[in-house]
Amino acid sequence: AMARVREETFKPIPANVAVYDKLYAEYNQLHDYFGRGANDVMKRLKAIKEQASAH
């Protein structure tokens, strides 16, 4: 009742597809690096934040 679903399709701008692909590849690497345990920097940053908030 609050929102209506619309049938809408978004298509990439052909001239920008190569840039989209490069950016998406970088996003995937960052996601795997920070989000899948290859590097626990995000957990360390969260712990630092929590420690600082406790004081």
Side-chain angles (χ1 to χ4, degrees), residues 4-55:
R4 291 191 172 92
V5 176
R6 293 187 296 182
E7 291 291 327
E8 195 169 2
T9 302
F10 295 93
K11 295 182 181 180
I13 300 167
N16 296 339
V17 169
V19 174
Y20 295 153
D21 290 343
K22 288 178 186 178
L23 289 170
Y24 187 68
E26 294 298 331
Y27 165 81
N28 275 331
Q29 283 188 333
L30 287 171
H31 175 269
D32 290 346
Y33 187 72
F34 291 114
R36 294 209 173 164
N39 182 328
D40 62 353
V41 68
M42 297 307 280
K43 290 179 183 177
R44 293 192 313 266
L45 290 172
K46 187 176 178 181
I48 293 168
K49 178 183 175 185
E50 289 172 358
Q51 289 172 353
S53 297
H55 293 95

